[in-house]
Amino acid sequence: MKHIDIADILNAKEKYTDQNVTVCGWVRTSRNSKSVAFVEVNDGTSLKNIQVVVEKGDADYKEPRVGMSVKVCGKLVEGRNNTVEINAVPSDIEILGDCPTDYPLQKKGHTLEFLRSIPHLRSRSNTFNAVWRVRSVLAGAIHKYFQSHNFVYINTPLITGSDCEGAGEMFQVTTIGYSNDYKNADEYYENDFFGKRAGLSVSGQLEGEVAATAMGKIYTFGPSFRAENSNTPKHLAEFWHVEPEVAFAELDDVIELAESMVKAVIRELLDTCPEEMKFFDAHFEKGLIERLEDLISHDFGRVTYTEAIELLKKSGEKFQYPVEWGCDLQTEHERYLSEKVFKKAVFVTDYPKEIKSFYMKQNPDGKTVAAVDLLVPGVGEIIGGSEREADYEKLIAAMKDRDMNLDLYSDYLDLRKFGTVPHGGFGLGFERLIMYTTGMANIRDVILYPRTVGSIR
Ligand code: 4AD
């Protein structure tokens, strides 16, 4: 259908002024007076609408309703306050799709909770238009960052026979439904599609390591699945995961990469999406742009887990979850560290081995592993990573400590047998980055169709 994007018109007003233009879009508002009518049209390419001024004359004018899809041909003219508008007559407006009056987005100012109940329509609101554009620009910026730093984009399998994090949070993949036909679990799995137990991957890391120990530097960017029973504003059952993995790298290199990448993609976002960022600053988090500019222009903080525990214990703060060396940091602790102590993004390193995954490099102290989490104000953890255990014997010992089935990890172990190298990487939760950069407080509002415990649509 021949037409011009409203964004293109608004970005090149001089080029189109006094020209005939055709735009398509959905009616956002419609006002009718005696001789003229005003119709605001939005086609999704911009947060801004274009106003159509309809000279009704003697013609029969059927006022378009909010939500209708229309095609408008008319002359672009200068409007008030440096805007442009389209001059049209009733016959210039073609209604492409009707929209009855029970269209839920009749007026502005719906709550996010209400919009969550209409996921198929909420994208037509300015808030979600801005979120999806930021999401798209950040995704592009992430690819651009890695591609321009010699990383190879790898697609790791989504269906897997091994649990990367070993935390028992895998969704099972099966083609056998409810059945009493099998004597026990072994027999059930033998008869299942893959002849063994399979699940949806919680992380592409294990296969990412396969590729990194051949290509040097790789990244993955795809969905991960977690059957976590966490009904919180920052957990999804299906989230998008950015996972770089680098050979010939130690923990410090992983940290340097994470800081450099986060800063680069936020810079690109601020430069590419000024309108959207102003929108979030005005409507969702006052001072957002300044906070992000500040983040980019300062070094991130750095603290060991052991020091962090001391800081939390000394804080005098009443936490819901008590703080002791060995405990997992909860969101309240993470936020306290980044918001109150460091007042910026902070890397926490060297966690107790018991609360981290089997694959992390064991530190000489025998108690901690070379792990790193990046905590940011407002959200808490957005990145989790580590240097990997590259020593065959030590890795096997850590897996045996956890009663893991070594047969399922034979490929992974082989990497330590055949030319092992120091290597490491991290996982960035893409939705958490979007939350942080937009000020959206609930992860359900930064993905088109959120999947959370007890809810799928
Ligand atoms: O810390 P996690 O569990 O680390 C891993 O999966 C590693 N294998 C990554 C690696 O080293 N390649 O997860 C990494 C990040 C978290 O910091 C968080 O941002 C995000 O993934 N994440 C989630 N995001 C939304 N919903 C969930 N349920 C998430 N679980 C983790």
Side-chain angles (χ1 to χ4, degrees), residues 164-165 169 202-206 220 224-226 228 230 234-245 356-357 359-360 372-374 381-386 388 424-433 443:
C164 172
E165 294 304 304
E169 288 165 351
V202 298
S203 159
Q205 178 198 321
L206 302 192
T220 72
S224 284
F225 306 88
R226 304 240 169 140
E228 272 174 295
S230 327
K234 54 179 233 185
H235 285 93
L236 288 170
E238 176 181 290
F239 69 97
W240 283 70
H241 211 169
V242 180
E243 294 185 278
E245 191 68 34
K356 288 291 182 186
S357 300
Y359 53 72
M360 296 189 178
V372 59
D373 282 357
L374 176 63
E381 178 194 334
I382 63 167
I383 281 180
S386 69
R388 318 306 185 191
F426 63 82
L428 164 74
F430 187 46
E431 284 77 19
R432 299 225 181 137
L433 176 70
I443 200 161

CSV table of all heavy atoms in Angstrom, one decimal, residues 164-165 169 202-206 220 224-226 228 230 234-245 356-357 359-360 372-374 381-386 388 424-433 443, ligand 1:
chain,number,residue,atom,x,y,z
A,164,CYS,N,22.0,-26.4,32.6
A,164,CYS,CA,23.2,-25.5,32.7
A,164,CYS,C,23.4,-25.1,34.2
A,164,CYS,O,24.5,-25.2,34.7
A,164,CYS,CB,23.1,-24.3,31.8
A,164,CYS,SG,24.4,-23.1,32.1
A,165,GLU,N,22.4,-24.5,34.8
A,165,GLU,CA,22.6,-23.9,36.1
A,165,GLU,C,22.4,-25.0,37.2
A,165,GLU,O,22.7,-24.7,38.3
A,165,GLU,CB,21.6,-22.8,36.3
A,165,GLU,CG,21.8,-21.6,35.4
A,165,GLU,CD,23.2,-21.0,35.5
A,165,GLU,OE1,23.7,-20.7,36.6
A,165,GLU,OE2,23.9,-21.0,34.5
A,169,GLU,N,15.5,-25.9,37.5
A,169,GLU,CA,14.4,-25.0,37.1
A,169,GLU,C,14.1,-25.2,35.7
A,169,GLU,O,13.6,-24.2,35.0
A,169,GLU,CB,14.9,-23.5,37.3
A,169,GLU,CG,15.0,-23.2,38.8
A,169,GLU,CD,15.8,-21.9,39.0
A,169,GLU,OE1,16.5,-21.4,38.1
A,169,GLU,OE2,15.8,-21.4,40.2
A,202,VAL,N,17.9,-23.3,30.2
A,202,VAL,CA,17.9,-22.2,31.1
A,202,VAL,C,19.0,-21.2,30.7
A,202,VAL,O,19.0,-20.0,31.2
A,202,VAL,CB,18.1,-22.5,32.6
A,202,VAL,CG1,17.0,-23.4,33.1
A,202,VAL,CG2,19.4,-23.2,32.8
A,203,SER,N,19.9,-21.6,29.8
A,203,SER,CA,21.1,-20.8,29.4
A,203,SER,C,21.8,-21.4,28.3
A,203,SER,O,21.9,-22.7,28.3
A,203,SER,CB,22.0,-20.6,30.6
A,203,SER,OG,23.3,-20.2,30.2
A,204,GLY,N,22.3,-20.6,27.4
A,204,GLY,CA,23.1,-21.2,26.3
A,204,GLY,C,24.6,-21.3,26.6
A,204,GLY,O,25.4,-21.7,25.7
A,205,GLN,N,24.9,-21.1,27.8
A,205,GLN,CA,26.3,-21.0,28.2
A,205,GLN,C,27.2,-22.3,27.9
A,205,GLN,O,28.2,-22.2,27.3
A,205,GLN,CB,26.5,-20.7,29.7
A,205,GLN,CG,27.9,-20.6,30.1
A,205,GLN,CD,28.0,-20.8,31.6
A,205,GLN,OE1,27.2,-20.2,32.4
A,205,GLN,NE2,29.0,-21.5,32.1
A,206,LEU,N,26.6,-23.5,28.2
A,206,LEU,CA,27.5,-24.7,28.0
A,206,LEU,C,27.8,-24.8,26.6
A,206,LEU,O,29.0,-25.2,26.2
A,206,LEU,CB,26.7,-25.9,28.6
A,206,LEU,CG,26.3,-25.9,30.1
A,206,LEU,CD1,25.9,-27.2,30.5
A,206,LEU,CD2,27.5,-25.3,30.9
A,220,THR,N,25.7,-15.2,22.3
A,220,THR,CA,24.4,-15.8,22.0
A,220,THR,C,23.3,-14.7,22.4
A,220,THR,O,23.6,-13.8,23.2
A,220,THR,CB,24.0,-17.0,22.7
A,220,THR,OG1,23.7,-16.7,24.1
A,220,THR,CG2,25.1,-18.0,22.7
A,224,SER,N,15.8,-17.9,27.0
A,224,SER,CA,16.0,-18.9,28.1
A,224,SER,C,14.8,-19.1,28.8
A,224,SER,O,13.9,-18.2,28.9
A,224,SER,CB,17.2,-18.4,29.0
A,224,SER,OG,18.4,-18.5,28.4
A,225,PHE,N,14.7,-20.2,29.4
A,225,PHE,CA,13.4,-20.6,30.1
A,225,PHE,C,13.7,-21.0,31.6
A,225,PHE,O,14.6,-21.8,31.8
A,225,PHE,CB,12.7,-21.8,29.4
A,225,PHE,CG,12.5,-21.5,27.9
A,225,PHE,CD1,13.5,-21.8,27.0
A,225,PHE,CD2,11.4,-20.9,27.5
A,225,PHE,CE1,13.4,-21.5,25.6
A,225,PHE,CE2,11.2,-20.6,26.1
A,225,PHE,CZ,12.2,-20.9,25.2
A,226,ARG,N,12.9,-20.5,32.5
A,226,ARG,CA,13.1,-20.9,33.9
A,226,ARG,C,11.8,-21.2,34.5
A,226,ARG,O,10.9,-20.3,34.6
A,226,ARG,CB,13.8,-19.8,34.6
A,226,ARG,CG,15.1,-19.4,34.0
A,226,ARG,CD,16.3,-19.6,34.9
A,226,ARG,NE,17.5,-19.4,34.1
A,226,ARG,CZ,18.6,-18.8,34.5
A,226,ARG,NH1,18.7,-18.2,35.7
A,226,ARG,NH2,19.7,-18.7,33.7
A,228,GLU,N,11.0,-21.1,37.4
A,228,GLU,CA,11.2,-20.6,38.8
A,228,GLU,C,9.8,-20.2,39.3
A,228,GLU,O,9.0,-19.6,38.6
A,228,GLU,CB,12.0,-19.3,38.8
A,228,GLU,CG,13.5,-19.5,38.8
A,228,GLU,CD,14.2,-18.2,38.7
A,228,GLU,OE1,14.1,-17.6,37.5
A,228,GLU,OE2,14.8,-17.8,39.6
A,230,SER,N,8.9,-17.9,41.0
A,230,SER,CA,9.1,-16.6,41.6
A,230,SER,C,8.1,-15.6,40.9
A,230,SER,O,8.4,-15.1,39.8
A,230,SER,CB,10.5,-16.1,41.4
A,230,SER,OG,11.4,-17.1,41.4
A,234,LYS,N,10.5,-9.0,38.6
A,234,LYS,CA,11.7,-9.1,37.7
A,234,LYS,C,12.0,-10.6,37.2
A,234,LYS,O,13.1,-10.8,36.8
A,234,LYS,CB,12.9,-8.5,38.4
A,234,LYS,CG,13.3,-9.0,39.8
A,234,LYS,CD,14.5,-8.3,40.2
A,234,LYS,CE,15.5,-9.3,40.7
A,234,LYS,NZ,16.7,-8.7,41.3
A,235,HIS,N,11.0,-11.5,37.4
A,235,HIS,CA,11.2,-12.8,36.9
A,235,HIS,C,10.2,-13.2,35.8
A,235,HIS,O,9.0,-13.0,36.0
A,235,HIS,CB,11.1,-13.8,38.1
A,235,HIS,CG,12.3,-13.8,39.0
A,235,HIS,ND1,12.4,-13.1,40.1
A,235,HIS,CD2,13.5,-14.5,38.9
A,235,HIS,CE1,13.5,-13.3,40.7
A,235,HIS,NE2,14.2,-14.1,40.0
A,236,LEU,N,10.7,-13.8,34.8
A,236,LEU,CA,9.9,-14.3,33.7
A,236,LEU,C,10.2,-15.8,33.6
A,236,LEU,O,11.3,-16.2,33.8
A,236,LEU,CB,10.2,-13.6,32.4
A,236,LEU,CG,9.7,-12.2,32.2
A,236,LEU,CD1,10.3,-11.6,30.9
A,236,LEU,CD2,8.2,-12.1,32.2
A,237,ALA,N,9.2,-16.6,33.1
A,237,ALA,CA,9.5,-18.0,32.8
A,237,ALA,C,10.2,-18.1,31.4
A,237,ALA,O,10.9,-19.1,31.2
A,237,ALA,CB,8.2,-18.8,32.8
A,238,GLU,N,10.0,-17.1,30.6
A,238,GLU,CA,10.7,-17.0,29.3
A,238,GLU,C,11.3,-15.7,29.1
A,238,GLU,O,10.6,-14.7,29.1
A,238,GLU,CB,9.7,-17.3,28.2
A,238,GLU,CG,10.2,-17.2,26.8
A,238,GLU,CD,9.1,-17.4,25.7
A,238,GLU,OE1,8.6,-18.6,25.6
A,238,GLU,OE2,8.7,-16.5,25.1
A,239,PHE,N,12.6,-15.6,29.1
A,239,PHE,CA,13.2,-14.3,29.0
A,239,PHE,C,14.3,-14.3,27.9
A,239,PHE,O,14.7,-15.4,27.5
A,239,PHE,CB,13.8,-13.8,30.3
A,239,PHE,CG,15.0,-14.6,30.8
A,239,PHE,CD1,16.3,-14.1,30.6
A,239,PHE,CD2,14.8,-15.7,31.5
A,239,PHE,CE1,17.4,-14.8,31.1
A,239,PHE,CE2,15.9,-16.5,32.0
A,239,PHE,CZ,17.2,-16.0,31.8
A,240,TRP,N,14.8,-13.2,27.5
A,240,TRP,CA,15.8,-13.1,26.4
A,240,TRP,C,17.1,-12.9,27.1
A,240,TRP,O,17.3,-12.0,28.0
A,240,TRP,CB,15.4,-12.1,25.4
A,240,TRP,CG,14.4,-12.6,24.5
A,240,TRP,CD1,13.1,-12.9,24.8
A,240,TRP,CD2,14.5,-13.1,23.2
A,240,TRP,NE1,12.4,-13.4,23.8
A,240,TRP,CE2,13.3,-13.6,22.7
A,240,TRP,CE3,15.6,-13.2,22.3
A,240,TRP,CZ2,13.1,-14.1,21.5
A,240,TRP,CZ3,15.4,-13.7,21.0
A,240,TRP,CH2,14.1,-14.2,20.6
A,241,HIS,N,18.1,-13.7,26.6
A,241,HIS,CA,19.4,-13.8,27.3
A,241,HIS,C,20.5,-13.5,26.4
A,241,HIS,O,20.6,-14.1,25.3
A,241,HIS,CB,19.5,-15.3,27.7
A,241,HIS,CG,20.2,-15.5,29.0
A,241,HIS,ND1,20.2,-16.7,29.6
A,241,HIS,CD2,21.0,-14.7,29.7
A,241,HIS,CE1,21.0,-16.7,30.7
A,241,HIS,NE2,21.5,-15.5,30.8
A,242,VAL,N,21.4,-12.6,26.8
A,242,VAL,CA,22.5,-12.2,26.0
A,242,VAL,C,23.7,-12.8,26.7
A,242,VAL,O,24.0,-12.5,27.8
A,242,VAL,CB,22.7,-10.7,25.9
A,242,VAL,CG1,24.0,-10.3,25.1
A,242,VAL,CG2,21.5,-10.0,25.4
A,243,GLU,N,24.4,-13.8,26.0
A,243,GLU,CA,25.5,-14.5,26.7
A,243,GLU,C,26.8,-14.5,25.9
A,243,GLU,O,27.0,-15.4,25.0
A,243,GLU,CB,25.1,-15.9,27.0
A,243,GLU,CG,23.9,-16.0,28.0
A,243,GLU,CD,23.6,-17.4,28.4
A,243,GLU,OE1,22.8,-18.0,27.6
A,243,GLU,OE2,24.1,-17.9,29.4
A,244,PRO,N,27.7,-13.6,26.1
A,244,PRO,CA,29.0,-13.6,25.5
A,244,PRO,C,29.9,-14.6,26.3
A,244,PRO,O,29.7,-14.8,27.5
A,244,PRO,CB,29.6,-12.2,25.7
A,244,PRO,CG,28.9,-11.7,26.9
A,244,PRO,CD,27.5,-12.3,27.0
A,245,GLU,N,30.8,-15.3,25.5
A,245,GLU,CA,31.7,-16.2,26.1
A,245,GLU,C,33.1,-16.0,25.5
A,245,GLU,O,33.2,-15.9,24.2
A,245,GLU,CB,31.2,-17.6,25.9
A,245,GLU,CG,31.9,-18.7,26.7
A,245,GLU,CD,31.7,-18.6,28.2
A,245,GLU,OE1,30.6,-18.3,28.6
A,245,GLU,OE2,32.6,-19.0,28.9
A,356,LYS,N,26.7,-20.9,44.2
A,356,LYS,CA,26.8,-20.6,42.8
A,356,LYS,C,26.9,-22.0,42.0
A,356,LYS,O,27.0,-23.0,42.6
A,356,LYS,CB,28.1,-19.8,42.5
A,356,LYS,CG,27.9,-18.3,43.0
A,356,LYS,CD,26.9,-17.6,42.1
A,356,LYS,CE,26.7,-16.1,42.4
A,356,LYS,NZ,25.6,-15.5,41.7
A,357,SER,N,27.0,-21.9,40.7
A,357,SER,CA,26.9,-23.1,39.8
A,357,SER,C,28.2,-23.8,39.8
A,357,SER,O,29.3,-23.3,40.1
A,357,SER,CB,26.5,-22.7,38.4
A,357,SER,OG,25.3,-22.0,38.4
A,359,TYR,N,30.1,-24.8,37.5
A,359,TYR,CA,31.1,-24.6,36.4
A,359,TYR,C,32.0,-23.4,36.8
A,359,TYR,O,32.9,-23.0,36.0
A,359,TYR,CB,30.4,-24.3,35.1
A,359,TYR,CG,29.4,-23.2,35.1
A,359,TYR,CD1,29.7,-21.9,35.3
A,359,TYR,CD2,28.0,-23.5,35.1
A,359,TYR,CE1,28.8,-20.9,35.4
A,359,TYR,CE2,27.0,-22.5,35.1
A,359,TYR,CZ,27.4,-21.2,35.3
A,359,TYR,OH,26.5,-20.2,35.4
A,360,MET,N,31.8,-22.7,37.9
A,360,MET,CA,32.6,-21.5,38.2
A,360,MET,C,34.0,-21.9,38.7
A,360,MET,O,34.2,-22.8,39.5
A,360,MET,CB,31.9,-20.6,39.1
A,360,MET,CG,30.5,-20.1,38.5
A,360,MET,SD,29.8,-18.9,39.6
A,360,MET,CE,28.3,-18.5,38.6
A,372,VAL,N,30.7,-13.3,39.2
A,372,VAL,CA,30.4,-11.8,39.2
A,372,VAL,C,29.0,-11.6,38.9
A,372,VAL,O,28.4,-12.2,38.0
A,372,VAL,CB,31.3,-11.0,38.3
A,372,VAL,CG1,31.2,-11.5,36.8
A,372,VAL,CG2,31.1,-9.5,38.4
A,373,ASP,N,28.4,-10.7,39.7
A,373,ASP,CA,27.0,-10.2,39.3
A,373,ASP,C,27.1,-8.7,39.2
A,373,ASP,O,27.8,-8.0,39.9
A,373,ASP,CB,26.0,-10.5,40.5
A,373,ASP,CG,25.6,-12.0,40.5
A,373,ASP,OD1,26.0,-12.7,39.6
A,373,ASP,OD2,24.8,-12.3,41.4
A,374,LEU,N,26.4,-8.1,38.3
A,374,LEU,CA,26.3,-6.7,38.1
A,374,LEU,C,25.0,-6.2,38.7
A,374,LEU,O,23.9,-6.7,38.2
A,374,LEU,CB,26.4,-6.2,36.7
A,374,LEU,CG,26.3,-4.7,36.5
A,374,LEU,CD1,27.4,-3.9,37.2
A,374,LEU,CD2,26.3,-4.4,35.0
A,381,GLU,N,20.1,-7.2,40.3
A,381,GLU,CA,21.0,-8.0,39.4
A,381,GLU,C,20.5,-7.9,37.9
A,381,GLU,O,19.4,-8.2,37.6
A,381,GLU,CB,21.1,-9.4,39.8
A,381,GLU,CG,22.0,-10.3,38.9
A,381,GLU,CD,21.8,-11.8,39.1
A,381,GLU,OE1,21.4,-12.2,40.2
A,381,GLU,OE2,22.0,-12.5,38.1
A,382,ILE,N,21.4,-7.5,37.0
A,382,ILE,CA,21.1,-7.6,35.6
A,382,ILE,C,22.0,-8.5,34.8
A,382,ILE,O,21.7,-9.0,33.8
A,382,ILE,CB,21.0,-6.2,34.9
A,382,ILE,CG1,22.3,-5.5,34.8
A,382,ILE,CG2,19.9,-5.3,35.4
A,382,ILE,CD1,22.3,-4.3,33.8
A,383,ILE,N,23.2,-8.8,35.4
A,383,ILE,CA,24.1,-9.6,34.8
A,383,ILE,C,24.7,-10.6,35.8
A,383,ILE,O,24.9,-10.3,37.0
A,383,ILE,CB,25.3,-8.8,34.2
A,383,ILE,CG1,25.0,-8.2,32.9
A,383,ILE,CG2,26.6,-9.7,34.1
A,383,ILE,CD1,26.1,-7.3,32.3
A,384,GLY,N,24.8,-11.9,35.4
A,384,GLY,CA,25.5,-12.9,36.2
A,384,GLY,C,26.5,-13.6,35.4
A,384,GLY,O,26.2,-14.0,34.2
A,385,GLY,N,27.7,-13.7,35.8
A,385,GLY,CA,28.8,-14.4,35.0
A,385,GLY,C,29.9,-14.9,35.9
A,385,GLY,O,29.8,-14.9,37.1
A,386,SER,N,30.9,-15.4,35.2
A,386,SER,CA,32.1,-16.0,35.9
A,386,SER,C,33.2,-16.3,35.0
A,386,SER,O,33.0,-16.4,33.8
A,386,SER,CB,31.6,-17.3,36.7
A,386,SER,OG,31.4,-18.3,35.7
A,388,ARG,N,35.3,-19.5,34.1
A,388,ARG,CA,34.8,-20.9,34.2
A,388,ARG,C,36.0,-21.8,34.8
A,388,ARG,O,37.1,-21.5,34.6
A,388,ARG,CB,34.4,-21.5,32.8
A,388,ARG,CG,33.6,-20.5,32.0
A,388,ARG,CD,32.3,-20.0,32.7
A,388,ARG,NE,31.5,-19.2,31.7
A,388,ARG,CZ,30.5,-18.5,32.1
A,388,ARG,NH1,30.2,-18.4,33.4
A,388,ARG,NH2,29.8,-17.8,31.2
A,424,GLY,N,35.7,-17.3,30.2
A,424,GLY,CA,34.6,-16.9,31.0
A,424,GLY,C,33.6,-16.1,30.2
A,424,GLY,O,33.8,-15.9,29.0
A,425,GLY,N,32.6,-15.8,30.8
A,425,GLY,CA,31.5,-15.0,30.1
A,425,GLY,C,30.4,-14.6,31.1
A,425,GLY,O,30.6,-14.8,32.3
A,426,PHE,N,29.4,-14.1,30.6
A,426,PHE,CA,28.3,-13.7,31.5
A,426,PHE,C,27.0,-13.7,30.7
A,426,PHE,O,26.9,-13.9,29.5
A,426,PHE,CB,28.5,-12.2,32.0
A,426,PHE,CG,28.5,-11.1,31.0
A,426,PHE,CD1,27.3,-10.6,30.5
A,426,PHE,CD2,29.7,-10.6,30.5
A,426,PHE,CE1,27.3,-9.6,29.5
A,426,PHE,CE2,29.7,-9.6,29.6
A,426,PHE,CZ,28.5,-9.1,29.1
A,427,GLY,N,25.9,-13.7,31.5
A,427,GLY,CA,24.5,-13.6,31.0
A,427,GLY,C,23.9,-12.3,31.4
A,427,GLY,O,23.9,-12.0,32.5
A,428,LEU,N,23.4,-11.6,30.4
A,428,LEU,CA,22.6,-10.4,30.7
A,428,LEU,C,21.2,-10.7,30.4
A,428,LEU,O,20.8,-11.1,29.3
A,428,LEU,CB,23.1,-9.3,29.7
A,428,LEU,CG,22.2,-8.0,29.6
A,428,LEU,CD1,22.3,-7.1,30.8
A,428,LEU,CD2,22.5,-7.2,28.3
A,429,GLY,N,20.3,-10.4,31.4
A,429,GLY,CA,18.9,-10.5,31.2
A,429,GLY,C,18.4,-9.3,30.4
A,429,GLY,O,18.4,-8.2,30.9
A,430,PHE,N,18.0,-9.6,29.2
A,430,PHE,CA,17.7,-8.5,28.3
A,430,PHE,C,16.5,-7.6,28.9
A,430,PHE,O,16.5,-6.4,28.8
A,430,PHE,CB,17.3,-9.0,26.9
A,430,PHE,CG,17.1,-8.0,25.8
A,430,PHE,CD1,18.0,-7.0,25.7
A,430,PHE,CD2,16.1,-8.1,25.0
A,430,PHE,CE1,17.8,-6.0,24.7
A,430,PHE,CE2,15.9,-7.2,24.0
A,430,PHE,CZ,16.8,-6.1,23.8
A,431,GLU,N,15.5,-8.3,29.4
A,431,GLU,CA,14.3,-7.5,29.9
A,431,GLU,C,14.8,-6.7,31.1
A,431,GLU,O,14.2,-5.6,31.4
A,431,GLU,CB,13.2,-8.5,30.3
A,431,GLU,CG,12.4,-9.0,29.1
A,431,GLU,CD,13.1,-10.1,28.4
A,431,GLU,OE1,14.0,-10.7,29.0
A,431,GLU,OE2,12.8,-10.4,27.2
A,432,ARG,N,15.7,-7.2,31.9
A,432,ARG,CA,16.2,-6.4,33.1
A,432,ARG,C,16.9,-5.2,32.6
A,432,ARG,O,16.8,-4.1,33.2
A,432,ARG,CB,17.1,-7.3,34.0
A,432,ARG,CG,16.3,-8.5,34.5
A,432,ARG,CD,16.6,-8.7,36.0
A,432,ARG,NE,15.9,-9.9,36.4
A,432,ARG,CZ,16.4,-10.8,37.2
A,432,ARG,NH1,17.6,-10.6,37.7
A,432,ARG,NH2,15.7,-11.9,37.6
A,433,LEU,N,17.6,-5.3,31.5
A,433,LEU,CA,18.3,-4.1,30.9
A,433,LEU,C,17.3,-3.1,30.5
A,433,LEU,O,17.4,-1.9,30.7
A,433,LEU,CB,19.2,-4.5,29.8
A,433,LEU,CG,19.9,-3.4,29.0
A,433,LEU,CD1,21.0,-2.7,29.9
A,433,LEU,CD2,20.5,-3.8,27.7
A,443,ILE,N,8.7,-6.3,35.0
A,443,ILE,CA,9.2,-7.0,33.8
A,443,ILE,C,8.1,-7.4,32.8
A,443,ILE,O,8.4,-7.6,31.6
A,443,ILE,CB,10.1,-8.2,34.3
A,443,ILE,CG1,11.1,-8.7,33.2
A,443,ILE,CG2,9.2,-9.4,34.7
A,443,ILE,CD1,12.2,-9.5,33.7
B,1,4AD,O1,22.7,-15.4,36.7
B,1,4AD,P1,22.2,-16.3,35.7
B,1,4AD,O2,21.3,-17.4,36.2
B,1,4AD,O3,23.4,-16.8,34.9
B,1,4AD,C1,23.4,-17.8,33.9
B,1,4AD,O4,22.4,-18.2,33.4
B,1,4AD,C2,24.7,-18.0,33.3
B,1,4AD,N1,24.7,-19.3,32.6
B,1,4AD,C3,25.1,-16.9,32.4
B,1,4AD,C4,26.4,-16.9,31.8
B,1,4AD,O5,27.4,-16.8,32.5
B,1,4AD,N2,26.5,-17.1,30.5
B,1,4AD,O6,21.3,-15.5,34.7
B,1,4AD,C5,21.9,-14.4,34.0
B,1,4AD,C6,21.0,-13.2,33.9
B,1,4AD,C7,20.6,-12.7,35.3
B,1,4AD,O7,21.6,-11.8,35.8
B,1,4AD,C8,19.3,-12.0,35.0
B,1,4AD,O8,19.5,-10.7,34.5
B,1,4AD,C9,18.7,-12.8,33.9
B,1,4AD,O9,19.8,-13.6,33.4
B,1,4AD,N3,17.7,-13.8,34.5
B,1,4AD,C10,16.4,-13.5,34.3
B,1,4AD,N4,15.7,-12.6,33.8
B,1,4AD,C11,14.3,-12.6,33.8
B,1,4AD,N5,13.6,-13.6,34.4
B,1,4AD,C12,14.3,-14.7,35.0
B,1,4AD,N6,13.6,-15.7,35.6
B,1,4AD,C13,15.7,-14.6,35.0
B,1,4AD,N7,16.7,-15.5,35.5
B,1,4AD,C14,17.9,-14.9,35.1
